[in-house]
Amino acid sequence: MMVITMNSHATLGILGGMGPAAGIDLCRKIVDQHPAHRDQDHIPFILYSVPQIPDRTEALLRDGASPLDGMLDGVHALEQSGVGCIAIACNTAHAWLDALRHRTRLPVLDVVEAVAGELAQCVAPGALIGLMATEGTHHANVYRPRLEALGYRFVQVAEPLAHQALVNEGIRLTKAGENRRGGEALAMAMETLLAAGAQRVILGCTEIPVALVTCETPLGRFGLDASAALARACIAWSLAHETPTGKSRQ
Amino acid sequence: MMVITMNSHATLGILGGMGPAAGIDLCRKIVDQHPAHRDQDHIPFILYSVPQIPDRTEALLRDGASPLDGMLDGVHALEQSGVGCIAIACNTAHAWLDALRHRTRLPVLDVVEAVAGELAQCVAPGALIGLMATEGTHHANVYRPRLEALGYRFVQVAEPLAHQALVNEGIRLTKAGENRRGGEALAMAMETLLAAGAQRVILGCTEIPVALVTCETPLGRFGLDASAALARACIAWSLAHETPTGKSRQ
């Protein structure tokens, strides 16, 4: 039987659960940033939030179990559900972006590309920027070489180890549900980067905006939220890829 | 190859998108209400949020297109993704609960059962209660006969049509992203039910708690949030159903 569906936008697959609050935050940003007057005009998506995936930073830094198989389980479940592309709601997991792209026929969006596109609208190449991220994201060079290739320079803080320890603690607290305490640690870390001269600070871990929103920091306008940038890339992809308006159902 | 997974809890399937913010709100409540110290301890779930499903109230009241096929598409996509049960993030859609249960081999949780269980912990049978819900939920008798059978009585407001119009407007505004204005209308409607003698008011539409949280109403403690009750039922189901710790992967 041919059934006319009302689905004019293509369905996104969100690989979440890393952590769960961060995946939900990305979905919320997709809904909030695509204003619609009724349910049916919103962007369709499927969120795979199975957080039993080995820790990404442990794998990158301390030889922990690889998260790749767990991520592939998610990608394959999303493929079978009929999504048209994949977005990964975890910056650190982008260390495996190429490996994932080789194992799926679907396009996989890239948070770094989304951030680079929005950074160019805020500051010119040559600008000093800061990056708040997990140790895994720093270690795997998810952001730095690509943004340096575009001409951006990364600020140096006086005590990098203490600074990263504060970021780690903020992320850990947020993953444990203590968003407010996490947000306080992260706001302090952001302040250090701005004091060191950063013109923009990339919030390059999906937990960071979840935590920062709980404390009203006046620094918010200097942050570039990687999740929000990825959400906008998701919306643009969905709107650019129409789903067939008729499909077979037995 | 036999792979040991870390997934000790069974995976939930959330049928969302009705509306999208409400589905996300249910997921957030599942995460928030199951405290965990690290990502891997959280409840696994998959959220199907394809909002191109015909409006439930239009179908029930004004002979609009049935949402059943759209909901079945979601249920089947979730089945194929390997979830162990289904929760429907829409009270009105529970009018089709029996129809869905007949068309899937998976258990489908029931928001009314979850609400009845929690109501019994707040007030004794015989208590006067209020119900804030869509016209479709009222018309399809999703809650009333079952709660009356348990001995609860429903309050009468002086002007039921004007009261329902206020609830409708609050839900409509929230679906259009105007949560704050929606929350103001819904807080007024809740006040009317309490003034009429309700000891507890069931927030029986998934949009209502999303909106009410934006306005700091002192009435909050008299509300019974159906989404939060369903989230707790979801957590209980997942914890009671372990997933096999080994599975085959080619």
Side-chain angles (χ1 to χ4, degrees), chain B residues 229-243:
Chain B
L230 184 58
R232 286 185 279 267
C234 283
I235 294 167
W237 181 88
S238 179
L239 296 180
H241 294 79
E242 306 261 316
T243 287

Side-chain angles (χ1 to χ4, degrees), chain A residues 6 43 71 86 133 160 188 214 216 218 238 247 250:
Chain A
M6 297 190 297
I43 302 285
M71 287 195 277
I86 304 282
M188 280 174 61
T214 64
E216 294 181 11
S238 179
K247 64 172 182 171
Q250 55 278 25

Side-chain angles (χ1 to χ4, degrees), chain B residues 38-225:
Chain B
R38 46 177 212 141
D39 292 352
Q40 292 77 11
D41 296 331
H42 278 284
I43 303 285
F45 66 84
I46 299 175
L47 166 64
Y48 180 89
S49 181
V50 177
Q52 286 71 29
I53 292 179
D55 187 86
R56 283 64 62 195
T57 291
E58 288 297 316
L60 290 167
L61 263 73
R62 286 177 279 275
D63 237 7
S66 168
L68 184 59
D69 280 342
M71 288 195 275
L72 282 169
D73 283 346
V75 167
H76 295 150
L78 289 167
E79 275 177 353
Q80 289 188 332
S81 308
V83 305
C85 89
I86 303 282
I88 309 166
C90 173
N91 289 263
T92 316
H94 279 71
W96 289 269
L97 177 63
D98 287 340
L100 285 176
R101 281 179 165 168
H102 280 103
R103 304 274 287 269
T104 176
R105 56 178 173 75
L106 297 178
V108 184
L109 301 183
D110 176 3
V111 72
V112 181
E113 193 177 308
V115 165
E118 301 207 349
L119 198 59
Q121 294 169 25
C122 308
V123 288
L128 262 179
I129 58 174
L131 172 62
M132 287 167 71
T134 64
E135 285 181 278
T137 297
H138 285 295
H139 181 83
N141 272 326
V142 170
Y143 278 96
R144 188 161 181 152
R146 292 177 60 192
L147 295 184
E148 284 181 339
L150 294 170
Y152 297 103
R153 295 173 301 136
F154 282 73
V155 289
Q156 296 297 329
V157 294
E159 307 211 36
L161 284 179
H163 179 261
Q164 186 61 40
L166 195 58
V167 174
N168 294 351
E169 182 65 0
I171 293 169
R172 189 193 64 76
L173 285 165
T174 311
K175 284 186 184 289
E178 296 190 52
N179 298 14
R180 195 172 177 91
R181 283 179 60 207
E184 284 165 9
L186 293 163
M188 280 173 63
M190 188 172 176
E191 207 169 332
T192 307
L193 289 165
L194 291 168
Q199 294 169 254
R200 279 291 182 285
V201 174
I202 298 167
L203 312 181
C205 166
T206 44
E207 311 290 341
I208 295 176
V210 173
L212 276 181
V213 82
T214 64
C215 55
E216 294 180 12
T217 166
L219 310 174
R221 66 184 183 285
F222 299 109
L224 199 164
D225 177 352

Side-chain angles (χ1 to χ4, degrees), chain B residues 19-32:
Chain B
I24 291 171
D25 184 56
L26 177 64
C27 296
R28 198 182 53 75
K29 282 169 176 156
I30 292 171
V31 172
D32 287 352

Side-chain angles (χ1 to χ4, degrees), chain A:
Chain A
M1 175 170 72
M2 183 62 86
V3 179
I4 302 302
T5 73
M6 297 190 297
N7 188 355
S8 59
H9 312 320
T11 303
L12 292 159
I14 312 290
L15 189 60
M18 302 179 283
I24 291 170
D25 184 57
L26 177 64
C27 295
R28 199 183 53 74
K29 282 170 176 156
I30 291 170
V31 173
D32 288 352
Q33 293 181 16
H34 180 66
H37 290 294
R38 48 177 209 141
D39 293 353
Q40 291 77 10
D41 296 331
H42 278 284
I43 302 285
F45 65 85
I46 299 174
L47 167 64
Y48 180 89
S49 181
V50 177
Q52 287 70 29
I53 292 179
D55 187 86
R56 283 64 63 196
T57 291
E58 288 298 314
L60 290 167
L61 263 74
R62 286 176 280 275
D63 237 6
S66 168
L68 185 59
D69 280 343
M71 287 195 277
L72 282 170
D73 283 346
V75 167
H76 294 151
L78 290 168
E79 274 177 352
Q80 289 188 333
S81 307
V83 305
C85 87
I86 304 282
I88 310 165
C90 173
N91 289 263
T92 315
H94 278 72
W96 288 269
L97 177 63
D98 287 341
L100 285 176
R101 282 179 165 170
H102 279 104
R103 304 274 287 270
T104 177
R105 57 178 173 77
L106 296 179
V108 185
L109 301 183
D110 176 2
V111 72
V112 181
E113 192 177 308
V115 165
E118 300 207 349
L119 197 58
Q121 293 168 25
C122 308
V123 288
L128 261 178
I129 58 174
L131 172 62
M132 288 169 70
T134 64
E135 284 180 279
T137 297
H138 285 296
H139 181 82
N141 273 325
V142 169
Y143 278 95
R144 188 160 180 151
R146 292 177 59 192
L147 294 184
E148 284 181 340
L150 294 170
Y152 297 104
R153 295 172 303 136
F154 282 74
V155 288
Q156 296 298 329
V157 294
E159 307 212 35
L161 285 179
H163 179 260
Q164 185 61 41
L166 194 60
V167 174
N168 294 350
E169 182 65 359
I171 294 169
R172 189 192 65 75
L173 285 165
T174 311
K175 283 185 184 290
E178 298 191 51
N179 297 15
R180 197 175 175 89
R181 283 179 59 208
E184 284 165 9
L186 292 164
M188 280 174 61
M190 189 173 176
E191 206 168 332
T192 308
L193 288 165
L194 292 169
Q199 293 169 254
R200 279 290 182 286
V201 174
I202 298 166
L203 312 181
C205 166
T206 43
E207 311 290 341
I208 295 176
V210 173
L212 276 182
V213 82
T214 64
C215 56
E216 294 181 11
T217 166
L219 310 175
R221 66 185 183 281
F222 298 109
L224 198 164
D225 177 352
S227 294
L230 184 57
R232 285 184 280 266
C234 283
I235 294 166
W237 181 87
S238 179
L239 296 182
H241 294 79
E242 305 261 317
T243 287
T245 51
K247 64 172 182 171
S248 306
R249 184 185 293 130
Q250 55 278 25

